[in-house]
Amino acid sequence: MREPEYIIEIENLKKYYKTVKAVDGISFKVKRGELFAFLGVNGAGKSTTINVISGILRKDEGKVEVCGYDIDKNSAGARQKVGVVFQNSVLDKKLTVYDNLKYRANLYGIFGEQFKSRLNCISDMFDLSQILKRPLEKLSGGQKRRVDIARALIHKPELLILDEPTTGLDPKTRITVWNVIEKMRKEENLTVFLTTHYMEESSVADYVVILDSGKIVSQGTPHKLKSDYSSDFLRIYKNIEAAEKYFSSKGRNCKRVHDRLEVEFENTEQISEEIKLQPQLFTDFEVVKGDMDNVFLKVTGKQLKDV
């Protein structure tokens, strides 16, 4: 049987809580093997959508297919193919790392030598060998998060859902986590569905959907979104007062940041024209392309990293 091109297919999904429209008629598809970023502030509908996809919540309306299964007809079949890392850990703090992973594997029919083989593989990936016999409550935050992700991967899912997986982690642990995930994407064609407050993580996604108040407000590749919405910024380090006076008189958005002046432009062509017109202002400057933070602010009017 040929695997479907899309591992998630959602059409007109709705989930309401009395008068609150948590998810209000959204539709999107996730291609098999891609890194898909799902962005929105708290309360935008991200967690509700994830809970529907993973079978925790029942939807009110719409069609949801996960790993080829219609969740209305076979949610159990879909759950067998999905691993989820929630914002808050679901591990048993009193049990050891080993027992947490063994219990999870057993739920998927993985026992004996099969479990031992999978445990060795996962342990090597996430560097867990030294903490397998330690209770969860004795671990650091970074260690617990590595175990959370190992738990979600113990049964070799086709789809890994990561709900804010690296929030609060130190840079080294974040790098370790992403190196393992990228390795599994390449070697096992793992599909990753990600929500994150770290916009640099979404900038390397294959596709991005931006959610606001339960609705999709924009979507596309990071390159397309940046081309459509982000500005370019001119940073001037000398002649700051003269530059600020000049660009303000032309209606440009100017802002002083530490030792520089930042001036917003729609594109680099506009900056090139200004360099030709006022070369005396450009003795020490650089041009910075807009990023996904800029995109999110333009689309929603909100700062993702501050919420």
Side-chain angles (χ1 to χ4, degrees), residues 2 20 22 42 48 54 59-60 95 122 165 189-190 210 217 242:
R2 184 182 178 183
V20 177
N42 293 334
T48 298
S54 57
K59 59 184 173 58
D60 292 331
L95 293 181
I122 287 289
N189 201 30
L190 179 70
I210 299 177
V217 290

Side-chain angles (χ1 to χ4, degrees), residues 5-6 11 91 111 120 160 196 226 230 265 270 286:
E5 178 183 3
Y6 296 102
E11 295 178 11
L91 296 166
F111 301 96
N120 288 338
L160 176 64
T196 181
K226 284 187 281 189
S230 71
F265 288 83
Q270 293 179 344
E286 64 178 337

